[in-house]
Amino acid sequence: MDCFEVTGGTRLEGRVRVTGAKNSALKLMAAALLATGRSTIDEVPDILDVTIMSEVLRRLGCEVSYDRVPGSGGGGRLSIDVPEKPSTETDYDLVRKMRASINVLGPLVARCGSARVALPGGDAIGSRGLDMHISGLERLGATIVSEHGFLIATAPRLTGASIWLDFPSVGATENLVMAAVLAQGTTVVDNAAREPEIVDLCRMLTAMGARIDGAGTSTITVEGVDTLSPVEYTTVPDRIVAGTWAIGAVMTRGDVVIERAVGDHLSVALDKLTDAGARIEVLPVGVRVAMDDRPRCVDVVTLPFPGFPTDLQPMAVALAAVSTGTALITENVFEGRFMFVNELVRLGADIRIDGHHAVVRGRERFSSAPVLASDIRAGAGLVLAGLCSDGVTEVQDAYHVDRGYPDFVEQLRGLGATIERTQRPD
Ligand code: UD1
């Protein structure tokens, strides 16, 4: 078992570079399927999820290669050579490792007329439905059945339609836009997700020849085209990794310049940190976050973009747990996202959960103990907590963090943290 051993008591200080967003790169990789030939994507993070998505694409018949760029903060250039006739099946052994594999469904059915993608099942942050992906593709004319653990979609040619999403789902918006770009006629996706990663995907699709209007707003209009061409494209910086370093700087009363962080992509989170007492400066190279005193508790409510990101909620809870006062943290996106809280309680945090609310009463510091990372962001939150503990905190199942944070240990060490990766018998 892979662990992080984090020694508490140091402040994060210095500069850290953020490479491209995991949640964008994975979808850009799926989008490459829409055109025959070689697409290249820059600033792709060197993380486990990208390795899994590369394997998904290889099994669909693509040639995929990756070159790391030194000094990029764990990023690199990914080349994807897509055959004229990709295969159309993605197995459970890959989908269960990474739910975002489901994002090949839209491009495959649009491009090949059929797709067979394993159903992902539940995960550590709660049940995650696919109903909006399915009903949206049906509106576009696909026939979808669920058999033997697979979703099987068929459509000789998709046809544009008006689609209303009950919730601005990131994954459903992406799948439907990737399907609509090759559909016949006009598609309008209403109540669409507005995340910067959606805008990034639409930019890449537009560079491939797609006709898309309204990306970044709640109404996305897609005029279908017959074919798309491969592209060279650069992934948007990872706002969740940037936000993690920002919260880490505040928790440890540090001073960090987060290179390539985009202030506008983090406005609510940075406002909350200002309320907590931090000094935030938006610089031409990124964002600087500095903190002198113990932070003050601030209430946080997670919401789809531009609201406070659910992916930063575990770090917000960890921050409140070492701040002065009491904070109410409300989770509105994933029902199971407070499951990691019991691990913070093992570190001495005072947290009560009531449904989708957490009441956090701040304490001076955490008390080090072995804890278990249950997902990417919970793991990162626990490591930040370890930095504010009175000894050595062992965060077990470190591989979860590797799914989302390139060079995690090296980046933290570069900021002055004392952290080791260790192995432990299971
Ligand atoms: C993406 C991100 C994830 C982030 C989340 C919300 C990736 C790889 N992951 O996940 O890190 O936390 O956006 O910002 O990009 N839902 C349904 N039916 C559907 C689709 C979604 O009920 O058809 C529900 C989900 O169960 C969840 C909520 O909608 O409760 C939000 O899900 P969604 O926005 O789709 O998140 P993901 O795309 O899975």
Side-chain angles (χ1 to χ4, degrees):
M1 183 205 294
D2 244 16
C3 305
F4 297 125
E5 272 184 21
V6 195
T7 305
T10 40
R11 62 195 296 257
L12 297 184
E13 213 170 352
R15 299 174 86 86
V16 63
R17 186 183 190 279
V18 174
T19 185
K22 164 181 97 73
N23 286 353
S24 198
L26 298 173
K27 323 306 168 59
L28 303 181
M29 291 171 75
L33 284 169
L34 287 161
T36 305
R38 179 180 297 267
S39 284
T40 52
I41 310 172
D42 285 306
E43 297 285 355
V44 173
D46 189 1
I47 50 173
L48 202 55
D49 275 14
V50 165
T51 310
I52 297 169
M53 194 58 155
S54 300
E55 187 53 30
V56 169
L57 296 181
R58 279 192 194 102
R59 293 211 204 157
L60 293 172
C62 304
E63 277 175 32
V64 186
S65 63
Y66 183 73
D67 291 306
R68 258 185 87 115
V69 174
S72 63
R77 165 172 272 215
L78 190 83
S79 295
I80 305 164
D81 209 339
V82 182
E84 209 174 310
K85 285 201 178 351
S87 44
T88 53
E89 179 159 322
T90 299
D91 282 334
Y92 182 54
D93 64 324
L94 291 168
V95 179
R96 99 189 138 81
K97 283 188 196 144
M98 191 190 62
R99 193 177 191 278
S101 316
I102 198 76
N103 272 93
V104 299
L105 186 65
L108 283 178
V109 72
R111 172 93 200 279
C112 313
S114 71
R116 197 164 181 271
V117 179
L119 283 161
D123 64 24
I125 57 177
S127 77
R128 294 166 84 171
L130 287 175
D131 49 301
M132 287 182 269
H133 298 243
I134 294 168
S135 62
L137 287 172
E138 284 174 342
R139 297 280 297 205
L140 294 174
T143 305
I144 304 197
V145 290
S146 163
E147 262 174 18
H148 309 298
F150 280 88
L151 270 184
I152 302 161
T154 39
R157 171 101 199 242
L158 296 171
T159 318
S162 284
I163 301 166
W164 165 266
L165 298 180
D166 291 336
F167 183 89
S169 154
V170 171
T173 302
E174 291 164 337
N175 239 333
L176 296 175
V177 168
M178 286 193 276
V181 287
L182 288 180
Q184 202 161 32
T186 307
T187 298
V188 179
V189 183
D190 250 316
N191 199 25
R194 291 181 280 164
E195 272 68 3
E197 294 77 23
I198 304 274
V199 176
D200 205 34
L201 172 66
C202 290
R203 280 208 183 117
M204 171 158 152
L205 292 169
T206 304
M208 294 171 82
R211 293 169 62 192
I212 304 175
D213 213 42
T217 74
S218 298
T219 306
I220 300 180
T221 306
V222 182
E223 202 73 57
V225 296
D226 289 337
T227 52
L228 295 174
S229 317
V231 274
E232 281 192 18
Y233 191 77
T234 302
T235 320
V236 71
D238 197 315
R239 65 196 164 97
I240 305 302
V241 171
T244 303
W245 302 141
I247 295 175
V250 175
M251 286 175 72
T252 62
R253 300 177 214 180
D255 187 348
V256 175
V257 174
I258 308 157
E259 291 176 3
R260 297 183 80 247
V262 181
D264 283 351
H265 294 174
L266 277 167
S267 9
V268 175
L270 294 177
D271 271 2
K272 292 287 173 188
L273 295 181
T274 305
D275 290 348
R279 280 179 288 120
I280 310 281
E281 266 180 86
V282 177
L283 309 166
V285 294
V287 174
R288 179 178 173 195
V289 180
M291 185 80 192
D292 301 321
D293 305 313
R294 189 168 162 208
R296 289 186 293 273
C297 267
V298 282
D299 293 345
V300 164
V301 178
T302 70
L303 283 171
F305 191 84
F308 190 95
T310 174
D311 284 350
L312 287 176
Q313 180 258 100
M315 299 69 159
V317 173
L319 168 64
V322 286
S323 299
T324 57
T326 301
L328 180 65
I329 314 279
T330 304
E331 172 57 52
N332 286 319
V333 182
F334 288 111
E335 62 184 20
R337 201 140 212 187
F338 280 137
M339 277 185 327
F340 78 99
V341 158
N342 289 332
E343 302 299 303
L344 276 184
V345 169
R346 280 182 49 74
L347 296 176
D350 181 348
I351 306 172
R352 302 279 165 83
I353 303 293
D354 185 0
H356 65 128
H357 302 290
V359 177
V360 188
R361 294 185 179 85
R363 294 207 161 146
E364 184 70 36
R365 66 172 64 81
F366 291 103
S367 159
S368 57
V371 285
L372 195 67
S374 50
D375 74 86
I376 308 174
R377 311 301 172 188
L382 290 170
V383 169
L384 294 189
L387 292 172
C388 303
S389 74
D390 59 1
V392 179
T393 296
E394 185 184 72
V395 180
Q396 301 171 356
D397 279 356
Y399 73 91
H400 282 296
V401 180
D402 298 332
R403 289 187 46 201
Y405 291 83
D407 290 352
F408 187 66
V409 165
E410 294 74 14
Q411 297 267 54
L412 274 170
R413 280 203 191 133
L415 293 173
T418 307
I419 176 166
E420 307 279 338
R421 183 186 291 272
T422 56
Q423 298 278 333
R424 218 171 182 277
D426 277 343

